[in-house]
Amino acid sequence: MPNFKIMKTGTFFEWTSELFIQNSVFWDMALRENDVNYSVSNEEIKKLNEQAQKYAEKLSLVFDEAHKVIVGQQDALQKILISIVSDGHILLESVPGLAKTLMVKTMAQIFDVNQVRIQFTPDLLPADIVGTKIYKSASGTFVTQKGPIFHNFVLADEINRAPPKVQSALLEVMQERNVTIHGDTFELKKPFLVLATQNPIENEGTYKLPEA
């Protein structure tokens, strides 16, 4: 099975409900220690559960649409969806042929956003991902040429085949959610998801990813 490095498992409704409960218990205990009268009413908890149920129903529709195209891969689709909702990213260790590109493309179609696949190679440059400025001789000016990172869903295939400077450029974009090209800063549109893959079998000609 593919190895996903992502947050906790479980259905989104279970994860959301558990998060609500944990937050309520934590704040209740913290405020009681400070002798502050505090209580969570049943009505507030009921509203939170109803909201979580509505989200779960909507996400269930997304799963139904995805399974019209992709057979199996329930765990993969679930964690991709969690990443989209939580505004996170995914690092997937798997061999070729497990429908990674198809999953990203399908999710992009469901959410009606654009997507792109970047094949990482040793000769790739940061400008190939984020973009650069091009000189137009006709007008005598520089024009910004945006890179593929400006798509909503980005499949970074075999990210460990690119040198560290390229990995660093991608990680910065993932963290800051904006791109700086020769002094000009551009914000990325939401949703923004990077699904990076690396082949756990072939290590020759690869660069180790940073652990932090």
Side-chain angles (χ1 to χ4, degrees):
M1 292 294 293
N3 180 22
F4 288 89
K5 295 183 179 179
I6 197 175
M7 59 179 59
K8 70 176 295 181
T9 57
T11 65
F12 179 77
F13 177 65
E14 293 171 347
W15 171 74
T16 307
S17 299
E18 184 176 347
L19 181 63
F20 287 148
I21 294 172
Q22 289 177 351
N23 285 342
S24 299
V25 173
F26 171 77
W27 286 113
D28 184 63
M29 293 176 61
L31 292 174
R32 285 179 185 276
E33 291 179 356
N34 295 327
D35 295 327
V36 177
N37 293 326
Y38 175 79
S39 63
V40 179
S41 66
N42 293 333
E43 188 65 27
E44 290 176 343
I45 296 177
K46 182 179 178 181
K47 289 181 179 179
L48 291 175
N49 288 333
E50 290 177 351
Q51 187 177 17
Q53 183 62 40
K54 290 179 180 179
Y55 288 151
E57 292 173 356
K58 292 181 179 180
L59 296 180
S60 178
L61 296 176
V62 175
F63 277 118
D64 293 341
E65 290 296 321
H67 283 305
K68 292 179 181 179
V69 179
I70 301 172
V71 178
Q73 300 286 12
Q74 177 73 19
D75 189 54
L77 291 172
Q78 176 180 325
K79 291 176 179 178
I80 289 176
L81 194 54
I82 291 175
S83 293
I84 297 173
V85 174
S86 62
D87 201 18
H89 305 286
I90 297 177
L91 174 61
L92 171 62
E93 294 179 350
S94 69
V95 297
L98 294 180
K100 297 184 292 294
T101 304
L102 183 60
M103 282 190 285
V104 174
K105 183 179 180 180
T106 301
M107 283 296 182
Q109 292 175 344
I110 293 174
F111 285 93
D112 193 22
V113 296
N114 51 44
Q115 58 87 29
V116 68
R117 176 179 179 268
I118 306 175
Q119 181 64 50
F120 280 64
T121 56
D123 60 345
L124 198 67
L125 298 174
D128 297 329
I129 298 176
V130 300
T132 186
K133 285 184 178 291
I134 299 176
Y135 180 73
K136 296 289 186 179
S137 58
S139 59
T141 58
F142 286 91
V143 179
T144 301
Q145 181 68 42
K146 295 182 179 179
I149 198 64
F150 284 89
H151 288 73
N152 295 111
F153 291 173
V154 179
L155 175 61
D157 204 9
E158 294 186 304
I159 186 176
N160 57 330
R161 291 196 179 278
K165 61 181 180 180
V166 177
Q167 298 176 11
S168 177
L170 179 62
L171 292 174
E172 182 181 0
V173 174
M174 292 165 60
Q175 175 65 30
E176 302 296 334
R177 296 298 201 278
N178 58 52
V179 179
T180 301
I181 303 175
H182 294 280
D184 295 334
T185 302
F186 304 90
E187 291 188 2
L188 298 176
K189 295 181 179 180
K190 293 184 178 182
F192 177 64
L193 169 72
V194 174
L195 194 157
T197 70
Q198 63 176 353
N199 192 330
I201 300 176
E202 299 178 3
N203 294 321
E204 185 176 357
T206 61
Y207 301 84
K208 187 177 180 181
L209 295 175
E211 294 294 334

